[in-house]
Amino acid sequence: MRILLGVSAGIAAYKAALLLRLLTEAGHDVRVVPTRASLEFVGRATWEALSGNPVTTEVFDDVPAVEHVTLGKRADLVIVAPATADLLARAAAGRCDDLLTAALLTVRCPVLLAPAMHTEMWQHPATVANVATLRARGVHVLDPDSGRLTGADTGPGRLPEPATIAAAALALVGATLAGGTLPAAGAADPAARDLAGRHVVVSAGGTREPLDPVRFLGNRSTGRQGVALARAARDRGADVTLVAANLEVGAPDGVEVVTVETTAELRTAVRDAARDADVVVMAAAVADFRPARVAGGKIKKTGGAPAPLELTLNPDVLAELAGDRLRAGQVVVGFAAETGTDAEVLDDGRAKARRKGADLLVLNRVGAGVGFAVEDNAVTLLDAGGDVVGRAAGTKDAVAHAVWDAVLGRLEPLRG
Ligand code: CTP
């Protein structure tokens, strides 16, 4: 595949060298187009040596080749990493004052921008508006990671890891870093805004059930898969409500977030949002049981044997949603993480699909240690009868797009 890798002037430009390495080692032909100022961080020789291709920054460097047009037209995929606040502003305004921004105006393939900047710049209303403009045009803008920035400051603004950027970009064209394609059900174009006009609800994270004011029963869910689903739906044009239960990762920008703690709170929030939703995806790990009584004060050691913990059953939110639809035509999706051999996982998944009655059940074999570092998830999609209707493998973002592809085929056409 022919990939155009743009690099703008941020300290994270060095990470783009690692990204370039991943892409070339996966067999892709990469043309690097740095901005003039980015050469202060990583020089032309590095890009030429690692890509094996000539590197230019200006529209006037090779006029007979009309590079600003041919580069864009030749590309199957464009990645800009890091994308600085200035690059986002110039891209949003449609400026073309160097080779990279000129090429961005001529491309017709999927474009992924990976921003990196100080938190204040990322959160400035000008940058927020530029990102919204670019996303509305179908450009994929990754949310930056949170963490240590250039100086002593920390916060959202870090460039995501090269493998994450590569996987997210390749997923836009249905490819993986390992060189495979995603056998996603439906295989719709994830760059399309094919969920525009739809309201989707995604639950993510894990619920916690209090024992007393300081202790709870909980689970290890981080919320990454649910957050990836919310982000993918947003990128595909949906209005997204994310019901967030104790997330360990940041919620994506541009989605409505309802924060919950317990299963009862999650149930209320999901059902409220689901009343006018086209799709509900239950990606949260929902506690099946809660303590029968919550102590008003901290439970103390009394010296003797501790009292046994009495539990009571929580409602099954997914089964309720599937059994008694809050809106006609609503598509309900559940998740199941199972252990055992492939055959046992499939048998358990089939039984769960029939029991829950969701339109789709995303079955995940846990503890399988699925291959390559970024290939961190492999799922099987089952319908309400327990039949296999698709499989997908890849990052949580890639799996999220595969789920939305499968949902699309089940949505009733938009009215009006
Ligand atoms: N779920 C739910 N409400 C619950 C429990 C689970 O809505 N009280 C949803 C989860 O969000 C997920 C699906 O049901 O989409 C499957 O969750 P899982 O824990 O695998 O199912 P359980 O019914 O709890 O089955 P198991 O006996 O395997 O724990």
Side-chain angles (χ1 to χ4, degrees):
M1 193 180 339
R2 285 186 295 232
I3 300 178
L4 193 163
L5 174 61
V7 181
S8 59
I11 189 80
Y14 75 93
K15 284 195 191 169
L18 303 173
L19 172 61
L20 170 58
R21 202 50 187 272
L22 285 176
L23 296 171
T24 53
E25 279 179 358
H28 301 295
D29 178 18
V30 186
R31 279 293 304 263
V32 182
V33 183
T35 63
R36 210 170 307 137
S38 79
L39 297 179
E40 298 281 340
F41 294 101
V42 179
R44 187 187 307 264
T46 300
W47 300 127
E48 290 193 334
L50 287 178
S51 71
N53 279 319
V55 167
T56 50
T57 60
E58 306 306 318
V59 176
F60 295 109
D61 279 350
D62 186 2
V63 174
V66 209
E67 290 259 75
H68 66 289
V69 179
T70 51
L71 269 177
K73 277 195 174 162
R74 279 179 77 244
D76 302 306
L77 175 66
V78 174
I79 308 172
V80 182
T84 59
D86 179 64
L87 187 283
L88 295 175
R90 291 193 292 134
R95 290 183 60 161
C96 41
D97 36 12
D98 58 12
L99 188 57
L100 176 55
T101 47
L104 285 177
L105 281 185
T106 63
V107 297
R108 293 290 174 268
C109 62
V111 176
L112 180 126
L113 307 181
M117 63 197 74
H118 287 281
T119 303
E120 293 78 5
M121 298 170 90
W122 174 245
Q123 291 175 344
H124 191 283
T127 307
V128 171
N130 289 331
V131 169
T133 301
L134 289 162
R135 283 182 176 149
R137 285 186 200 139
V139 174
H140 293 264
V141 184
L142 282 184
D143 289 324
D145 281 351
S146 268
R148 180 88 193 268
L149 301 172
T150 313
D153 50 341
T154 57
R158 266 172 75 89
L159 188 70
E161 289 310 308
T164 306
I165 300 172
L170 290 171
L172 298 180
V173 288
T176 70
L177 250 190
T181 52
L182 288 171
D189 173 10
R193 293 177 61 75
D194 45 19
L195 289 173
R198 308 287 188 174
H199 176 209
V200 309
V201 180
V202 179
S203 71
T207 58
R208 291 178 180 174
E209 302 296 346
L211 277 159
D212 68 17
V214 292
R215 303 186 180 94
F216 59 83
L217 297 179
N219 61 68
R220 294 182 195 280
S221 177
T222 61
R224 282 197 175 80
Q225 183 63 71
V227 164
L229 280 154
R231 185 167 45 231
R234 175 204 68 193
D235 288 348
R236 293 168 77 146
D239 279 339
V240 183
T241 304
L242 177 66
V243 177
N246 311 295
L247 298 185
E248 276 179 29
V249 291
D253 293 324
V255 308
E256 186 199 0
V257 181
V258 183
T259 306
V260 297
E261 175 93 12
T262 62
T263 298
E265 288 170 13
L266 177 136
R267 177 175 179 273
T268 303
V270 166
R271 293 181 67 82
D272 281 353
R275 273 178 238 290
D276 74 341
D278 300 283
V279 188
V280 185
V281 182
M282 285 294 297
V286 181
D288 290 322
F289 308 103
R290 65 180 187 280
R293 279 168 297 280
V294 182
K298 190 178 167 196
I299 300 170
K300 294 286 190 189
K301 287 196 290 286
T302 52
L309 196 57
E310 197 189 327
L311 299 175
T312 186
L313 194 62
N314 273 331
D316 188 322
V317 183
L318 177 65
E320 284 179 353
L321 288 166
D324 189 10
R325 306 282 162 139
L326 289 169
R327 183 180 167 178
Q330 185 172 75
V331 178
V332 175
V333 183
F335 271 72
E338 306 290 349
T339 55
T341 63
D342 281 344
E344 287 164 349
V345 167
L346 194 55
D347 279 352
D348 288 347
R350 286 201 159 117
K352 193 168 283 184
R354 293 189 200 109
R355 198 166 68 235
K356 301 267 185 179
D359 301 292
L360 281 171
L361 190 77
V362 185
L363 176 63
N364 191 3
R365 182 175 166 215
V366 286
V370 187
F372 198 58
V374 297
E375 298 269 321
D376 55 0
N377 219 351
V379 299
T380 304
L381 306 180
L382 305 176
D383 66 13
D387 287 331
V388 175
V389 292
R391 293 182 199 277
T395 62
K396 291 191 159 58
D397 286 327
V399 167
H401 278 293
V403 171
W404 291 121
D405 288 346
V407 166
L408 267 182
R410 288 172 166 72
L411 282 171
E412 287 176 355
L414 277 172
R415 278 189 292 267

